[in-house]
Every structure is written in structure tokens, then in C-alpha cells.
Amino acid sequence: MEESSKLALPDAFLDFLKVNGLDPSIYTASDSTPRYIRLKPGCEAYLEEVEAEMKCKIEKVDWLPGFYSLPPDIQIASSKAYQEGKIYGIDAASGAAVLALDISAGDHVLDLCAAPGAKLCMISDLLDDSGSVTGVDVASHRLAACRTMLQKYALGDRCRLFVSDGTTFSLLPVGFHSESKSCESALEEKGDAFREWTSRRPYKERKKATKARKTVASQLVLGSQHPELIFYGRHSGVVGRTRSELYQSGCDNEVSSQGYDKVLVDAECTHDGSIKHIQKFEHWGWTTLQRRVLDAERTDSLTTLQLKLLSNGFRLLKVGGSLVYSTCSLTVAQNEDVVQKFLKENASAELQEINAAKNWPCKSGQIPNTLRFDPLTSQTSGLFVAKFLKLAI
């Protein structure tokens, strides 16, 4: 690829930027935008070793705990630290969205658009040995990548993954067995209960799962299929539960008290704030950009989807809980407009100031208490972030 500073943006995209009040120079800044990594907690002693292997200086990101920046041309996938699960790549703006959740010990967290998994790993990191995290994504192959990441970084102990449409997902956090009752004794009492996860399942189970996957798409459309559980950790609350216990959906009163403490909705979008993504169209063809980013019908369908994802994520939040909505689009339509519509439809939703953001290198959005990251301002990829509190009404 040519240097991004030489990237010639087509007139149609320049018009798109003008309509949305975006500076075209954003798209020539990524040759100076660092690459970011998160260091797995407990691996700080390996920093010098990582620097020596990559032959570059790794800079600590002062405003984001656990994050480090590298020169933009450094590749991490072939490094020993990456292969051994000591580091993983995640943009600092994405890390900020997770940090905005203000995760506390014991929280039950829902990541409603979990793939490809870096934010899910960070959530699991922050929870440590308490609470639970539920990852949901409509694309089974992308959610399988999340499973691979969790296993690689040994972060799946308190996690469960469901292939499901995030606009209709309705499962609450599962209750946990008391410490006095072992998983083994629970299994003895319930012969049909979930046993500890293993990728080497018996042939009959694999055959049944394969059959379910072949029909899951049509059944999801019909609303008659439970979300497909493709992974669960030993302490995720699944082991020892029966299918009927796992797949119970709560009524509104139950959600108010037993819903998720924190919800992340990093919604599907046009990805126009991801500068590296836009640069790929130079190879894919700019006509593809027209269909994927600029097409008005696609934008309309995406904003409808975003509002549905945000609304369902908020529905699953307990009273007093917090939800973070983010997209890697820089357009008003997919960010502030969605937030405005959502607030009009949800009297129990209140936009919150993000306390952690006082030292973040970002701009305020067009609505108070919303934030925008971009390469020129933040030295990160583009991202919009809004945080909501669920009130009792």
C-alpha cells in the first residue's frame, strides 16, 4: 500500500465528509497514528523482552492503564509475546470505551456485539476472578474468533458466548451456585446439566451441534431458536445448570433487579472512522466504498439496527447499571442522532459524564457528555462514545 499521505480520496467520499463536517486530513494522518497493544496483567516484567524482539521503543499510554503504543509499521502477530498470549492488539479508543464502563469486581457484563474479541478480553481482564461476562454476536464465525482469543489468553473462565441477534437477545446473567456446593455435586443432582466445557465433545453432541448450526439462521428469523452457546468457562455460571435454567428470559421486573450491571454496545457501522479500513478501499475498489459506506439505504438500515441494539442492550440492564454505546463511525447520523432518538424513547435513560475521560485526548460530541476520538485529535482510530445510566421510574 502506498503511504496514506498519498491516498487520493474520491470526490463522492469527499462530499460525504463535507456533509458530515469531517476534515479530510483525518485520512492522511494514520501514517503517524501509533499501533496500540494491551499488556496482559502480570506480564509487565516482559516489556524489555518485547522491546528487544520488536526492535522498537514501547511507550506507556499515560491516560489508559495497561496500554502501550508502538510505531505504526510494527507488526505484532509474529512476535513471541503475541503468540504466547502476553499482549494483544486493541486500539486505545476501543480500550477507552471499555474503561468508560467503570467495571467493578463482581459485575455481570454483557458485550452485545462481541466480535472479534479484543474488548471482550479486556472486560475479562478487568473482572479478574469475579463476576461474569456474556459475549453475543450474530456471526458464528466471528464469535468463534472470540472463543479462540479467550482460550489463547486464558480469559474464558467467567465467560459465556452466544451466537444470537443482539437486537433480540434476552438471556439474563445466570445465578451462581453457592461456594459450599461443588460443581460435581450439582451435576449429580441434575443429570441433564451442563458439564465443564471441552472442545472435544462426544460424537453425538458434535452431530447435534452441526445440525443446529445448519438451521440456526432460519430459526433465528422465526424467533424459535435459543441462542447457540458455543463456549462457557468453569465459573461462568453455566456448569451445573440445565438448558431450561440457562435459557430463561426475565420479565421487566426481574431485569430491573437481576439484569446486567454493565452493557457494552459497540454497534455495527460504516467503519468510516477506522482510517485503516478506509485505506483498504484503494485495493478493494472505490466502487465498493460507495456500496459499503456512502449508500443512503445502507446508512438508514444501519441506524435502525444501531437503535435496536442500543434499546435491547438497555432493556437488559439492571436499574442503576451503566451502558456504553460506541461506533467507529464519525457521522452524526450513526452517533448523536441515534442517541437523541434513544433518549426520546427511553425515559429511564440518562446520559452520564464519563469520569475516566477527564484526561483523555478527545473532543466533545455534539451532545453534552458524548465523546469523539479521531487520528488528528487523539492519535487513535476514530470512535464515538456515549454512556447511559438506567434510572428507576
Side-chain angles (χ1 to χ4, degrees):
M1 181 182 293
E2 295 179 2
E3 290 184 8
S4 55
S5 58
K6 297 179 182 178
L7 187 65
L9 298 172
D11 289 341
F13 188 60
L14 290 172
D15 291 341
F16 167 83
L17 298 179
K18 184 177 181 180
V19 167
N20 285 281
L22 301 176
D23 186 348
S25 64
I26 289 173
Y27 295 88
T28 64
S30 66
D31 55 346
S32 61
T33 302
R35 177 182 293 271
Y36 293 95
I37 59 171
R38 177 171 167 80
L39 191 66
K40 190 176 177 185
C43 293
E44 291 80 9
Y46 294 95
L47 268 178
E48 289 187 9
E49 179 183 318
V50 175
E51 283 185 327
E53 182 185 10
M54 295 186 179
K55 299 178 181 178
C56 69
K57 180 66 175 175
I58 297 177
E59 301 285 349
K60 186 176 182 179
V61 179
D62 292 333
W63 58 273
L64 199 61
F67 276 70
Y68 296 82
S69 65
L70 312 171
D73 58 332
I74 297 295
Q75 302 297 316
I76 67 171
S78 60
S79 70
K80 183 179 177 182
Y82 177 82
Q83 293 172 356
E84 292 180 350
K86 296 183 177 71
I87 61 172
Y88 52 90
I90 174 172
D91 191 78
S94 296
V98 174
L99 199 64
L101 284 169
D102 193 21
I103 291 171
S104 301
D107 277 348
H108 297 296
V109 185
L110 171 63
D111 186 351
L112 201 55
C113 308
K119 288 184 287 293
L120 190 73
C121 284
M122 183 175 171
I123 291 169
S124 297
D125 260 346
L126 294 174
L127 282 172
D128 198 17
D129 292 327
S130 65
S132 70
V133 57
T134 298
V136 175
D137 205 274
V138 71
S140 58
H141 67 287
R142 284 169 55 80
L143 198 64
C146 292
R147 179 177 62 197
T148 300
M149 281 194 73
L150 289 171
Q151 291 173 317
K152 173 182 177 179
Y153 293 102
L155 290 170
D157 188 52
R158 294 182 173 272
C159 186
R160 55 186 189 155
L161 299 178
F162 292 98
V163 179
S164 179
D165 183 344
T167 67
T168 58
F169 182 77
S170 60
L171 302 184
L172 299 182
V174 292
F176 289 82
H177 297 299
S178 66
E179 295 298 327
S180 60
K181 182 182 288 187
S182 69
C183 292
E184 288 76 13
S185 62
L187 290 172
E188 288 174 5
E189 295 175 13
K190 304 176 182 179
D192 63 339
F194 285 93
R195 298 179 179 274
E196 285 194 40
W197 169 267
T198 173
S199 58
R200 296 181 178 180
R201 290 177 290 174
Y203 171 73
K204 287 185 178 179
E205 284 190 27
R206 296 200 309 271
K207 186 176 180 181
K208 185 177 180 180
T210 300
K211 184 177 180 181
R213 278 194 295 272
K214 289 180 179 178
T215 58
V216 70
S218 60
Q219 289 175 322
L220 280 172
V221 170
L222 295 172
S224 61
Q225 173 70 20
H226 286 312
E228 182 187 2
L229 179 64
I230 69 163
F231 176 80
Y232 55 89
R234 178 179 173 85
H235 296 103
S236 64
V238 174
V239 176
R241 298 284 168 181
T242 63
R243 287 184 64 84
S244 60
E245 289 173 331
L246 178 67
Y247 286 109
Q248 284 181 342
S249 296
C251 64
D252 289 345
N253 288 338
E254 290 174 320
V255 172
S256 294
S257 59
Q258 300 174 34
Y260 294 91
D261 299 285
K262 308 287 166 60
V263 175
L264 176 64
V265 180
D266 185 43
E268 173 64 18
C269 66
T270 51
H271 305 286
D272 55 87
S274 175
I275 314 306
K276 293 184 184 300
H277 181 77
I278 293 298
Q279 288 174 349
K280 291 176 183 177
F281 287 103
E282 189 176 26
H283 295 274
W284 293 343
W286 293 114
T287 54
T288 310
L289 177 77
Q290 177 68 40
R291 175 169 53 85
R292 293 190 181 183
V293 178
L294 307 181
D295 182 73
E297 287 187 11
R298 171 164 166 74
T299 300
D300 290 344
S301 66
L302 276 175
T303 55
T304 300
L305 171 63
Q306 289 156 353
L307 183 58
K308 287 181 177 179
L309 288 167
L310 175 53
S311 299
N312 193 46
F314 192 76
R315 182 182 68 83
L316 295 169
L317 190 67
K318 72 192 304 183
V319 169
S322 298
L323 179 149
V324 167
Y325 172 76
S326 62
T327 81
C328 60
S329 171
L330 296 175
T331 67
V332 172
Q334 297 175 70
N335 298 312
E336 285 92 346
D337 286 356
V338 171
V339 167
Q340 291 278 34
K341 290 177 184 176
F342 171 73
L343 288 171
K344 287 180 181 178
E345 296 174 4
N346 292 272
S348 62
E350 179 181 86
L351 265 176
Q352 276 191 300
E353 181 179 1
I354 300 174
N355 294 327
K358 291 178 180 177
N359 296 318
W360 289 357
C362 56
K363 295 179 179 177
S364 295
Q366 293 187 13
I367 300 175
N369 292 334
T370 62
L371 303 175
R372 284 174 168 269
F373 291 82
D374 70 70
L376 293 178
T377 304
S378 317
Q379 288 285 287
T380 67
S381 188
L383 198 77
F384 172 86
V385 184
K387 183 177 182 179
F388 302 89
L389 173 69
K390 190 168 191 176
L391 304 171
I393 57 170

